[in-house]
């Protein structure tokens, strides 16, 4: 009951804040909003179950389980979206639109209806079949995280702060699933352990904390909050990454300005000189202009003769 009382108003506040982000940034995090709506269903079910209504009305428990299942599915979709942004940016750019997001969201909400024939016809194997179904997100989340890290390691056009936010969301989603949902799924597949009531309680309790854990996704989609949080965890590394990000943003703005004014930068004659007074040298990825890497040099000579 305490979790529901805390989580319910916070979830409403998070949904309202995300709607404000949509107006400001013109980007609709539809999947995160749907995830928070599924959390509202879970929290409502907790309130009803705490008043003993579930002992009278079995559908209350089914509604709560429905919210849990939808929540897991939307976490997979959120991870898939981050993976596509980094691994297949061009494809995602042309395919991404509100219509596609709405269709995917509707499909996710309808997926739990597949449980109905299982509940009616599987009988004693219902819990095992559903547990196998809910175990599928685990390898998918690991694949999306690994694929994203691999894609980001070679991505030059993605700013460093954006890379950190993408990885933070993927790591958070994987942790939420692994710590809160996976123990219950494994218990449902273990016939020998099902009889131990204490173990069952330990695997069920984390499920009630998932709506609170999902609220952290709001933190990681906010640019300023996420950067400050990550900076507090690794200040030294963030300082140098922020400098590099600033340089990349300036070069990107300069390139765009040249294109808008019918000018072109000669990348072959462009050099990058890095001045670093630290004892240990650090390697920086080369700047990218129009798909070509800028040569890094340790010194250069200026000339007073210019040709046009």
């Amino acid at each position: 009951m305490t979790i529901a009382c805390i989580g319910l108003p916070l979830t409403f506040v998070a949904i309202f804040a995300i709607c404000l982000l949509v107006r400001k940034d013109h980007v609709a995090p539809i999947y995160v909003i749907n995830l928070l709506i599924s959390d509202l269903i879970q929290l409502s079910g907790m309130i009803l179950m705490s008043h003993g209504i579930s002992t009278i009305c079995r559908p209350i428990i089914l509604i709560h389980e429905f919210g849990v299942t939808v929540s897991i599915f939307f976490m997979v979709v959120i991870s898939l979206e981050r993976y596509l942004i980094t691994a297949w940016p061009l494809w995602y750019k042309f395919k991404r639109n509100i219509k596609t997001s709405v269709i995917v969201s509707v499909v996710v909400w309808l997926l739990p209806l597949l449980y109905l024939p299982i509940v009616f016809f599987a009988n004693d194997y219902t819990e095992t079949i559903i547990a196998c179904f809910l175990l599928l997100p685990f390898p998918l989340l690991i694949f999306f995280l690994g694929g994203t890290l691999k894609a980001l390691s070679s991505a030059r056009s993605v700013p460093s702060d954006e890379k950190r936010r993408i990885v933070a969301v993927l790591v958070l989603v994987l942790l939420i699933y692994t710590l809160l949902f996976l123990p219950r799924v494994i218990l449902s597949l273990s016939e020998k352990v099902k009889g131990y009531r204490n173990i069952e309680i330990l695997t069920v309790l984390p499920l009630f904390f998932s709506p609170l854990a999902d609220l952290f996704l709001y933190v990681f989609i906010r640019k300023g909050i996420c950067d400050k949080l990550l900076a507090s965890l690794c200040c030294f590394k963030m300082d140098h990454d922020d400098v590099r990000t600033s340089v990349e943003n300036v070069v990107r703005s300069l390139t765009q300005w040249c294109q808008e004014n019918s000018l072109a930068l000669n990348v072959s004659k462009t050099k990058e000189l890095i001045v670093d007074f630290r004892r240990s040298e650090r390697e920086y990825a080369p700047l990218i202009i129009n798909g070509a890497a800028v040569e890094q040099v340790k010194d250069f000579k200026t000339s007073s003769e210019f040709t046009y």
Side-chain angles (χ1 to χ4, degrees):
M1 181 64 180
T2 304
I3 297 175
C5 292
I6 297 175
L8 205 60
L10 289 178
T11 303
F12 277 115
V13 171
I15 294 176
F16 176 74
I18 290 177
C19 292
L20 294 181
L21 284 180
V22 174
R23 295 180 181 179
K24 180 180 179 181
D25 299 333
H26 305 287
V27 176
I30 294 178
Y31 303 133
V32 177
I33 294 176
N34 279 273
L35 175 63
L36 295 176
I37 293 175
S38 69
D39 291 336
L40 291 177
I41 296 176
Q42 297 179 59
L43 294 169
S44 302
M46 292 180 197
I47 294 175
L48 295 176
M49 286 188 291
S50 65
H51 287 85
I53 299 179
S54 61
T55 58
I56 303 175
C57 187
R58 170 67 178 172
I60 299 299
I61 298 179
L62 295 178
I63 291 175
H64 179 265
E65 293 177 351
F66 173 81
V68 172
T69 304
V70 172
S71 176
I72 294 176
F73 291 160
F74 272 113
M75 287 195 298
V76 175
V77 174
I78 291 172
S79 296
L80 172 61
E81 183 183 36
R82 266 58 186 180
Y83 169 72
L84 293 177
I85 290 174
T86 55
W88 305 93
L90 295 178
W91 181 89
Y92 179 78
K93 180 180 180 180
F94 289 105
K95 295 294 183 179
R96 181 190 182 187
N97 52 62
I98 298 296
K99 182 180 178 181
T100 303
S101 300
V102 171
I103 293 175
V104 172
S105 299
V106 172
V107 171
V108 171
W109 282 102
L110 294 177
L111 274 178
L113 296 180
L114 297 175
Y115 290 172
L116 294 178
I118 297 176
V119 172
F120 286 106
F121 298 106
N123 297 327
D124 298 335
Y125 299 99
T126 300
E127 185 177 358
T128 302
I129 295 176
I130 294 177
C132 293
F133 193 58
L134 295 179
L135 188 62
L136 293 177
F138 186 58
L140 290 176
L141 295 176
I142 295 177
F143 172 77
F144 294 149
L145 177 59
T148 301
L149 291 175
K150 182 179 179 180
L152 287 178
S153 63
S154 58
R156 305 302 183 193
S157 59
V158 182
S160 299
D161 54 348
E162 185 66 22
K163 290 181 180 181
R164 289 192 292 268
R165 284 194 296 272
I166 292 174
V167 174
V169 170
L170 290 172
V171 172
L172 177 62
V173 169
L174 181 59
L175 286 177
I176 291 175
Y177 177 84
T178 304
L179 299 178
L180 304 184
F181 296 101
L182 189 59
R184 182 60 185 174
V185 173
I186 294 177
L187 179 66
S188 300
L189 296 174
S190 304
E191 296 292 337
K192 297 181 180 180
V193 192
K194 286 184 179 180
Y196 296 93
R197 182 171 178 80
N198 292 334
I199 297 179
E200 291 186 357
I201 294 175
L202 290 176
T203 56
V204 171
L205 284 178
L207 296 178
F208 295 102
F209 289 92
S210 63
L212 296 179
D214 292 339
L215 293 174
F216 285 97
L217 285 174
Y218 166 73
V219 175
F220 289 107
I221 64 176
R222 285 293 303 269
K223 296 182 179 180
I225 298 178
C226 178
D227 293 339
K228 290 179 181 178
L229 178 62
L230 293 177
S232 64
L233 297 177
C234 46
C235 299
F236 184 78
K237 185 177 185 300
M238 288 281 288
D239 290 339
H240 297 288
D241 287 344
D242 288 341
V243 172
R244 190 60 177 176
T245 301
S246 300
V247 174
E248 293 173 352
N249 292 335
V250 170
V251 173
R252 193 179 299 109
S253 300
L254 176 61
T255 305
Q256 183 178 358
W257 182 87
C258 290
Q259 293 175 350
E260 293 174 352
N261 292 273
S262 301
L263 299 173
L265 290 174
N266 191 337
V267 183
S268 62
K269 294 184 178 181
T270 303
K271 310 298 179 184
E272 180 185 12
L273 176 64
I274 300 176
V275 180
D276 194 341
F277 296 102
R278 291 175 299 171
R279 294 181 179 178
S280 58
E281 294 185 0
R282 180 182 179 183
E283 294 185 359
Y284 290 89
L287 294 173
I288 304 297
I289 299 179
N290 297 329
V294 177
E295 181 184 359
Q296 293 181 349
V297 297
K298 294 185 178 180
D299 54 47
F300 70 95
K301 295 180 180 180
T302 59
S303 175
S304 58
E305 297 179 0
F306 296 92
T307 58
Y308 298 91

